[in-house]
Amino acid sequence: MSLSRWFRSPRIFLLVYQRVAAHWRAIVLLLILACVAFLVTRSAEFGRFELILLALLLIFIASQIFWLGRLVDVGERFIPGRPRRVWLAIMTVVVYLFVLLDSYPEWGLGHTIRAADYRPQSVLIHAAFWWWFVGSMSAFLLVIAFGAADRGVRAAGWVYRKARTAIHQRPAAADAEAPLLSRARRRFLERAAVLVSATPFVAASYGLLYERQNVEVVRQRVRLARLPKAFEGFRIVQLSDIHLGPFTTADYIRRCVAITNGLGPDLIALTGDYICWDPEAQGEVVQVLASLRAPHGVFGCLGNHEADVGIEDSITRLFAAQGMRMLRQERVPIRLRDDTLNLIGIDDGGDVAPEHTQEVERDRRLQRLKALVMPNTVNILLTHYPAVFGDPELGIDLTLAGDIHGGGQLSLDFIHRGLNLGSLMGVPYIRGLYKNGGEQLYMNRGIGITGFPIRIGARPEITVLELTRET
Ligand SMILES: [Fe+2]
């Protein structure tokens, strides 16, 4: 048989499909083992982050095989005329591959969605892809957990029945009812499994359609022991991770700007990531942010997205033309009557060059910062990611940062603190206020998104930081 006929033959496809569907657990295990072997041989080049990404990839592959199998099951059951499984499998895989390849344009564009791609149909397909991505992976994990719990209960029941038989020396009379109970139990379990697996898809819909732009105004009092008297009650409103793009539109950012102005800020702080991946979006985002108003000015720092696409200089000039100042390894005195605060800003710098270890990079930033800190003054630092937080000798009183999007936009912190994507990746600072001796850090959840256009348990945030000397 020629190769083309081989591929065209439905029987061969069915055989391959059946083998994959029947042995998907073994295939995933083999993939894991192969990747682990690869990582062990090259362990010096991989860290925790890469391992987590690998685990996510493997979970994604396993979940897609699982859900394709379930889709074929559903088709077999509900499509009139009971179509042959092989055709259903072919149709399902073809539709799946088409949607997968068509709905993730970054694959072809090196992570850049150009402004020309903000067409409604692209946005819709993109949204559907990410809804499926988040929903199917989470549901798969829940189904696995549900199955494991069911097996645990069954094993406990088996042990209990054996023990009871041994003690009473007779097969339990109740065992006659077993088949009946088993059928009822199976029906209950099937319904429960459907309910459990549907929950993540409902949650993903909520996160995509509602929570993604359900902005929360967070009011946070920050006690600074050496705050000058004139600054008692001084209000800094912080915006972070704007990410203008197809899912964080100019209209939505305008709404955030209006909310910010309505909060009566004394000073506005922007902590980086103004675009997603498209350098052409810089003009529009600056134009929208130009409506921000505060008597002591609008200041900011740059994020990794500005560095990664090489627009640090150009966006700084655009901001400056609108009267907003990006602090790039700079400080500015904020004066009120006879008192002064020292406001510092540093670049994120984006991806660290491979020849730099993280320690070297951290030391370099520390040295830069030391020159900007003013003794006997309250020093407030704007930085996209707080890489230098926690050095008592530095003399920073308060750091304002963002970057983590409230735990990678997916967080179940309301169940258990630390149950979020960011913590899973080993990020130490996720959201809210952190204290380390005399130094404090506020982690803003941001107002925009990158990657999947979904937020669950991590609402967008505008923060009002009220400075005080009082306890
Ligand atoms: Fe960001």
Side-chain angles (χ1 to χ4, degrees):
M1 189 186 289
S2 72
L3 201 61
S4 58
R5 271 193 70 195
W6 194 90
F7 274 114
R8 279 205 299 270
S9 167
R11 280 180 188 285
I12 298 290
F13 179 86
L14 178 62
L15 200 67
V16 172
Y17 167 79
Q18 282 174 339
R19 289 282 178 270
V20 170
H23 302 292
W24 67 270
R25 287 181 186 86
I27 292 168
V28 170
L29 189 65
L30 270 175
L31 276 170
I32 293 172
L33 289 175
C35 292
V36 167
F38 175 73
L39 289 171
V40 166
T41 55
R42 307 182 67 174
S43 57
E45 296 169 34
F46 294 91
R48 179 176 173 161
F49 184 75
E50 283 79 11
L51 286 173
I52 298 282
L53 284 184
L54 176 68
L56 285 175
L57 175 71
L58 294 173
I59 292 169
F60 178 70
I61 293 168
S63 68
Q64 299 315 287
I65 295 170
F66 173 82
W67 286 114
L68 282 175
R70 301 295 74 73
L71 282 173
V72 173
D73 289 346
V74 169
E76 226 178 12
R77 198 164 158 189
F78 292 108
I79 293 176
R82 300 243 161 190
R84 287 180 62 196
R85 191 171 174 88
V86 61
W87 291 114
L88 274 176
I90 291 170
M91 289 303 292
T92 309
V93 172
V94 167
V95 170
Y96 175 82
L97 288 177
F98 173 77
V99 173
L100 187 76
L101 296 175
D102 193 57
S103 62
Y104 196 56
E106 288 101 327
W107 282 351
L109 291 168
H111 252 317
T112 304
I113 310 177
R114 297 277 170 192
D117 268 341
Y118 292 4
R119 295 163 298 172
Q121 66 267 36
S122 302
V123 172
L124 202 67
I125 294 172
H126 203 73
F129 168 81
W130 283 116
W131 171 81
W132 172 256
F133 183 86
V134 171
S136 65
M137 276 174 73
S138 315
F140 173 70
L141 289 175
L142 270 185
V143 168
I144 296 282
F146 186 78
D150 176 45
R151 282 177 189 224
V153 169
R154 268 159 51 190
W158 183 84
V159 170
Y160 169 73
R161 280 195 301 278
K162 285 284 173 198
R164 195 177 58 174
T165 306
I167 290 166
H168 297 294
Q169 291 297 310
R170 60 185 159 86
D175 282 358
E177 299 165 21
L180 192 66
L181 281 174
S182 160
R183 267 201 303 278
R185 187 170 169 277
R186 203 163 52 238
R187 259 204 310 277
F188 166 75
L189 283 174
E190 276 171 11
R191 284 175 189 164
V194 169
L195 202 68
V196 163
S197 57
T199 308
F201 290 104
V202 174
S205 307
Y206 169 82
L208 172 71
L209 300 172
Y210 185 70
E211 184 166 323
R212 176 170 55 89
Q213 298 196 336
N214 183 25
V215 185
E216 181 183 9
V217 173
V218 177
R219 294 171 194 277
Q220 177 71 55
R221 275 166 75 86
V222 180
R223 187 182 169 272
L224 299 170
R226 52 181 185 166
L227 186 76
K229 218 172 180 178
F231 284 92
E232 181 64 38
F234 192 81
R235 274 187 293 185
I236 299 174
V237 176
Q238 182 192 6
L239 291 175
S240 194
D241 298 84
I242 318 293
H243 290 300
L244 176 75
F247 293 98
T248 312
T249 61
D251 280 346
Y252 165 68
I253 300 170
R254 260 181 223 111
R255 180 154 67 87
C256 294
V257 166
I259 293 170
T260 303
N261 288 340
L263 293 167
D266 293 305
L267 182 146
I268 294 172
L270 308 172
T271 42
D273 275 6
Y274 304 98
I275 60 162
C276 281
W277 300 103
D278 183 5
E280 291 165 25
Q282 59 180 318
E284 189 176 10
V285 72
V286 171
Q287 206 63 47
V288 176
L289 293 174
S291 301
L292 289 169
R293 294 283 177 270
H296 289 269
V298 180
F299 296 91
C301 62
L302 299 176
N304 57 302
H305 281 246
E306 286 72 61
D308 288 343
V309 299
I311 60 161
E312 288 174 303
D313 294 338
S314 56
I315 201 167
T316 301
R317 283 196 296 274
L318 288 170
F319 272 122
Q322 298 291 343
M324 295 176 279
R325 183 164 167 194
M326 290 296 110
L327 298 172
R328 304 189 61 194
Q329 295 65 251
E330 287 173 278
R331 68 180 175 206
V332 62
I334 306 297
R335 295 200 175 88
L336 187 56
R337 294 189 280 279
D338 294 332
D339 292 325
T340 304
L341 292 182
N342 186 34
L343 187 66
I344 304 169
I346 53 169
D347 288 357
D348 181 85
D351 291 337
V352 177
E355 64 268 22
H356 287 95
T357 64
Q358 288 195 348
E359 280 303 306
V360 171
E361 180 64 17
R362 191 172 184 275
D363 282 349
R364 196 168 61 86
R365 286 177 192 198
L366 272 174
Q367 293 310 319
R368 268 190 196 169
L369 254 180
K370 274 179 185 162
L372 298 168
V373 173
M374 288 180 70
N376 306 318
T377 307
V378 167
N379 290 283
I380 298 176
L381 171 66
L382 308 184
T383 179
H384 184 58
Y385 178 74
V388 291
F389 175 66
D391 188 326
E393 289 176 15
L394 201 58
I396 300 287
D397 297 82
L398 173 65
T399 298
L400 304 183
D403 190 37
I404 307 303
H405 298 203
Q409 296 167 206
L410 293 182
S411 170
L412 298 177
D413 275 10
F414 56 90
I415 295 174
H416 185 271
R417 188 158 174 87
L419 205 56
N420 61 71
L421 215 53
S423 295
L424 199 69
M425 298 261 189
V427 178
Y429 310 113
I430 302 294
R431 60 167 74 190
L433 195 66
Y434 294 83
K435 294 181 183 177
N436 189 327
E439 193 182 349
Q440 297 180 72
L441 161 69
Y442 191 83
M443 289 293 285
N444 182 298
R445 300 192 297 261
I447 60 169
I449 57 95
T450 46
F452 49 83
I454 291 171
R455 277 180 181 262
I456 298 173
R459 286 174 65 185
E461 167 181 359
I462 297 171
T463 322
V464 185
L465 298 132
E466 188 178 324
L467 309 186
T468 180
R469 289 194 302 174
E470 295 162 11
T471 49

